[in-house]
């Protein structure tokens, strides 16, 4: 792969426009990627603040700080903001920045629509957050917004919640369509499908999942809207509908959604581990097929969230076995990551630390997932803190660590400077210790029976909850350090070379650091 | 893929931000209207906001599409760009299919599982105890709680208006294809004729659909609020109708563009996208005709 930076064409030689309107009007994938990443980080801090409120209230048994009604709004908004505002946009931001550079494309396939996708997000989340200040308060029915809690018994602001979901959904669908079109249509000559970096592969599959399930989410919130305002009875048994139907449709979206949040992290980690192990990825082809298999299976496992709701025995069995099957391709991936590291010349810079923690801790989350997937056992675990422990293990050291690893890995390419390694390692260790302190005890209190989404609890859970809260505060505070590290890196530091990681592979390392405003205006030749 | 033509990356555009603001204003207005309606508060502010939003959206669409059309006329688009547009439209239609799938899924779930369970089938003791008298049949005329959800007296017979509508839409799919062939053969007069005919068929379809709705509401007691039959019936046919309306507008725009001399035998993606959308709307209708009206 040769370095080809071709900016001879007059209309493409221009740099960024001046002034703040640059960001509003831009069509540049790097600008838009940066905006996505900043937006995501802002949402991460906002959702994180809400988590701090939750953990502060749960520091001790009894009701201390907030009213139970407000507590419910905090858990709901925390979940919604983290899922739709922090994790998903972060990966879209990474996709925007990196996919065109990885496949040798001049930009995203549909650059204006790209900016539209982004600017819908502030609209969606502005609307969502404003519900907190409306009469009756914001959404308080949990991020899964089960009917009839979210219909018959919901505060009036639910209407705006529904429209916020619509806006975020439109944004996701357009973003995903753009990514598919870019990957399929804009690859440089020679960049065959099976030469694509894994981040590109996992995003291709993720984008497919998004286009398939976001409309279903739109459908289910539309049914809610109609039930609330126009007298339909989709989720009301009195009219022949069924509240359980809500859960089916929601989880038909919801389970693929959890893979939407993790597959791009799989891809990023599959690029970072080889770079710092200085060995090619073990089992590239099997990685691609495993990703596709996971995506396929994710459509047929949704009712594992509904084992206790009353579904027929055949349903319980089918969804149990189908879910357990996902462990196979997931196991393939973990095996490949470990084998890649095996006998490599490993170094432990921040991206690698986060990637290794990802492999270990995500696997713990996978194991608790297997426990939950066993239907008879889930009767005990369901709606307890064990579930909270499970999904935080897959989401925090999974999705979020994947994002941190990616950020450190590509920051030199984005800013042209090296980040401060000492601070970054501090960030890692504080996050690592903090999140384990926060979430590991939740397994125990969950197994002992503490229900989730509750502001008060039995005395017997006091100690573990206190540990959890301390860990959570530690994790939360550490993220301000991350903000500092990123700002510091943008403002200066040791100059980054075009390829600051010696083991790194890929087209993005053939362009200078920081990457010029336009890259690959004419496609490079990939051998 | 081995094209070395320039891929056109527009410099800057105001349309995305206009669109975002437009959508936000629209949904804020719509939400306010709905909340006022349900709570019984009479404030008309919501309406104004809603229509202001719609105006912004129309402005955005008009501006954005005009940009694209003029860029296309300036020859800025390569074959690769054309493929991007095709993929964009294709995947957009797939997302629409999934949107309808959610509503079809709800229909099938209620008809085959939830409904019979509610009437006591299977080992679901507690659901059957809710309304012991309830019997499940489809179409569901007698809801579990007829006080809260008075059911319809009758449903629409498929063999009258719906059958005519089916024939209309299928014919329109054929006529739009004829129009496409005429366009490719450079026969502009035939193109105009077939396209006009398609639009006329679409408008007739919409008119009949409105007549059907009026009949359902006034004579049959079949409404959105008449239980799950009415809910699925109106949401499925209603969203379909909204898509037909959208498709009709798009086809009308295409007709205007044809009269303005746009499109050449081998460069007419806008027209093709419109016809794809139209075929999609037709296919959904066939599904509706079979699963909502007949069975
Ligand atoms: C081996 C893979 C996995 C298995 C077998 C699995 C299984 C499960 C099961 C059975 C539940 C339902 C527990 C209950 O409510 O009683 C659950 C909940 C959940 N899982 Fe997983 N899971 C896996 C991976 C993931 C991944 C990768 C993510 C996200 C990145 C994830 C996110 C979640 C979330 C968010 C919930 C809770 C939803 C809620 O009720 O709010 N899971 N998982
Ligand atoms: Cu799941």
């Amino acid at each position: 792969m040769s370095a080809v930076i071709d900016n001879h064409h007059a209309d493409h030689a221009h740099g960024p426009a001046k002034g703040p309107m640059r960001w509003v009007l831009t069509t540049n994938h790097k600008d838009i990627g940066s905006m996505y990443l900043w937006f995501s980080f802002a949402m991460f801090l906002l959702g994180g603040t809400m988590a701090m409120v939750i953990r502060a209230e749960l520091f001790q048994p009894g009701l201390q700080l907030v009213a139970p009604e407000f507590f419910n709004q905090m858990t709901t908004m925390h979940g919604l903001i983290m899922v739709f505002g922090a994790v998903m946009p972060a990966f879209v931001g990474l996709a925007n920045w990196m996919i065109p550079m990885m496949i040798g494309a001049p930009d995203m396939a549909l650059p204006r629509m790209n900016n539209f996708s982004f600017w819908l997000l502030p609209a969606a989340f502005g609307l969502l957050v404003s519900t907190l200040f409306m009469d009756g308060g914001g959404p308080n029915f949990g991020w899964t917004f089960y009917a009839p809690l979210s219909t018959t018994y919901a505060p009036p602001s639910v209407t705006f919640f529904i429209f916020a979901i619509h806006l975020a959904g439109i944004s996701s669908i357009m973003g995903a369509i753009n990514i598919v079109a870019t990957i399929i249509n804009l690859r440089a000559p020679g960049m065959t499908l099976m030469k694509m970096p894994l981040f590109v592969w996992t995003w291709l599959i993720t984008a497919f999942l998004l286009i398939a399930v976001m409309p279903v989410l739109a459908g289910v919130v539309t049914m809610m809207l109609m039930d609330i305002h126009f007298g339909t009875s989709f989720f009301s048994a009195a009219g022949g509908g069924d509240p359980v139907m809500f859960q089916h449709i929601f989880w038909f979206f919801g389970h693929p959604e959890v893979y939407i949040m993790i597959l791009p992290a799989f891809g990023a980690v599959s690029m970072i581990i080889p770079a710092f192990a200085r060995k090619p990825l073990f089992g590239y082809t099997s990685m691609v097929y495993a990703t596709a298999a996971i995506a396929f299976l994710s459509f047929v496992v949704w009712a594992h969230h509904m084992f206790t709701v009353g579904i027929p025995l055949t349903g319980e069995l089918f969804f149990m076995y189908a879910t357990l099957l996902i462990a196979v391709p997931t196991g393939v991936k973990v095996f490949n990551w470990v084998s890649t590291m095996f006998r490599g010349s490993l170094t432990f810079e921040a991206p690698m630390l986060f990637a290794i923690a990802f492999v270990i801790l995500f696997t713990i989350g996978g194991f608790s997932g297997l426990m939950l997937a066993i239907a008879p056992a889930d009767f005990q675990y369901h709606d307890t803190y064990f579930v909270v422990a499970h999904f935080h293990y897959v989401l925090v050291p999974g999705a979020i660590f994947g994002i941190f690893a990616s950020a450190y890995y590509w920051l030199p390419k984005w800013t042209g400077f090296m980040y401060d390694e000492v601070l970054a390692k501090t960030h890692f260790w504080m996050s690592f210790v903090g999140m384990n302190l926060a979430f590991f005890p939740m397994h125990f209190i969950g197994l002992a029976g503490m229900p989730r989404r509750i502001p008060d609890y039995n005395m017997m859970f006091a100690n573990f909850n206190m540990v959890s809260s301390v860990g959570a505060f530690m994790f939360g505070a550490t993220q301000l350090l991350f903000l500092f590290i990123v700002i510091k890196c943008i403002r200066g530091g040791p100059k980054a070379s075009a390829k600051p990681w010696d083991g790194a592979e890929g087209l993005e390392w053939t362009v200078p650091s920081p990457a010029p405003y336009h890259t690959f205006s004419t496609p490079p030749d990939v051998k | 893929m081995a094209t070395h033509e320039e891929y056109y990356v527009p410099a800057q555009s105001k349309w995305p931000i206009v669109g975002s603001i437009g959508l936000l204003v629209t949904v804020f207005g719509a939400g306010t209207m709905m909340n006022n309606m349900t709570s019984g508060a009479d404030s008309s502010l919501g309406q104004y906001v809603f229509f202001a939003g719609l105006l912004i959206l129309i402005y955005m669409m008009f501006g954005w599409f005009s940009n694209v059309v003029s860029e296309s006329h300036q020859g800025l688009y390569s074959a690769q760009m054309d493929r991007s547009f095709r993929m964009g439209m294709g995947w957009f239609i797939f997302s629409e299919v999934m949107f309808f799938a959610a509503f079809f899924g709800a229909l099938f779930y209620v008809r085959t599982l939830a409904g019979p369970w509610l009437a006591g089938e299977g080992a679901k003791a507690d659901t059957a105890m809710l309304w012991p008298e309830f019997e499940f049949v489809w179409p569901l005329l007698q809801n579990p709680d007829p006080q809260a959800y008075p059911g319809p007296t009758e449903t629409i017979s498929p063999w009258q208006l719906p059958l005519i509508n089916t024939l209309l839409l299928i014919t329109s799919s054929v006529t739009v294809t004829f129009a496409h062939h005429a366009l490719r053969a450079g026969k502009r007069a035939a193109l105009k004729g077939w396209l006009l005919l398609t639009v006329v068929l679409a408008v007739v379809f919409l008119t009949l659909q409105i007549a059907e709705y009026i009949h359902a509401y006034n004579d049959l007691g079949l409404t959105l609020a008449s239980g799950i039959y009415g809910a699925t019936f109106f949401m499925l046919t209603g969203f379909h109708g909204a898509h037909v309306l959208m498709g009709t507008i798009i086809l009308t725009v295409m007709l205007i563009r044809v009269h303005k001399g746009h499109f050449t035998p081998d460069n007419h993606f806008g027209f093709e996208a419109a016809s794809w959308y139209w075929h999609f709307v037709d296919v959904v209708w066939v599904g509706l005709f079979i699963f909502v009206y007949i069975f």
Side-chain angles (χ1 to χ4, degrees), chain A residues 143 251 258 305 323 369 372-373 378 382 387 390-391 394-395 452:
Chain A
W143 86 276
W251 286 114
V258 308
H305 296 272
T323 305
L372 290 164
D378 185 62
H382 181 65
V387 176
H390 157 68
F391 66 71
V394 283
L395 284 170
R452 65 190 281 212

Side-chain angles (χ1 to χ4, degrees), chain A residues 307-319:
Chain A
F307 285 142
T308 61
V309 85
I311 53 175
L313 182 63
T314 31
E316 305 259 331
L317 289 171
F318 172 80
F319 286 106

Side-chain angles (χ1 to χ4, degrees), chain B residues 19-42:
Chain B
S20 297
I21 294 171
L23 264 179
L24 179 62
V25 173
T26 307
V27 298
F28 186 77
T32 311
M33 262 162 76
M34 289 178 193
N35 273 1
N36 286 340
M37 179 186 77
T38 303
S39 70
D42 53 2

Side-chain angles (χ1 to χ4, degrees), chain A residues 83-84 87-89 91-92 172 176 202-203 205-214 252-266 294-295 298-299 395 399:
Chain A
V83 167
F84 295 103
V87 174
M88 292 170 68
F91 284 124
V92 184
S172 286
T202 53
W203 241 118
I205 292 169
T206 304
F208 171 75
L209 289 181
L210 276 168
I211 305 174
V213 301
M214 291 311 284
F252 183 83
F253 147 80
H255 189 81
E257 167 69 13
V258 308
Y259 285 100
I260 287 165
M261 293 191 282
I262 202 68
L263 292 183
F266 283 176
I294 292 177
S298 76
F299 284 108
L395 284 170

Side-chain angles (χ1 to χ4, degrees), chain A residues 83 87 142-144 146 250-251 254-255 257-263 266 294 301-308 319-320 322-328 330-331 362-363 365-375 377-384 386-388 390-396 398-399 452-453:
Chain A
V83 167
V87 174
W143 86 276
T144 51
Y146 282 7
F250 176 82
W251 286 114
H255 189 81
E257 167 69 13
V258 308
Y259 285 100
I260 287 165
M261 293 191 282
I262 202 68
L263 292 183
F266 283 176
I294 292 177
V301 298
W302 75 88
H304 65 213
H305 296 272
M306 304 166 57
F307 285 142
T308 61
F319 286 106
M320 173 170 95
T323 305
L324 293 171
L325 216 54
I326 297 196
V328 178
T330 313
F362 174 78
T363 306
F367 283 144
S368 58
L370 286 176
M371 293 173 67
L372 290 164
I374 298 167
D378 185 62
F379 278 60
Q380 170 74 13
Y381 309 147
H382 181 65
D383 262 349
T384 70
F386 189 81
V387 176
V388 180
H390 157 68
F391 66 71
H392 281 94
Y393 263 85
V394 283
L395 284 170
V396 178
R452 65 190 281 212
R453 292 174 174 158

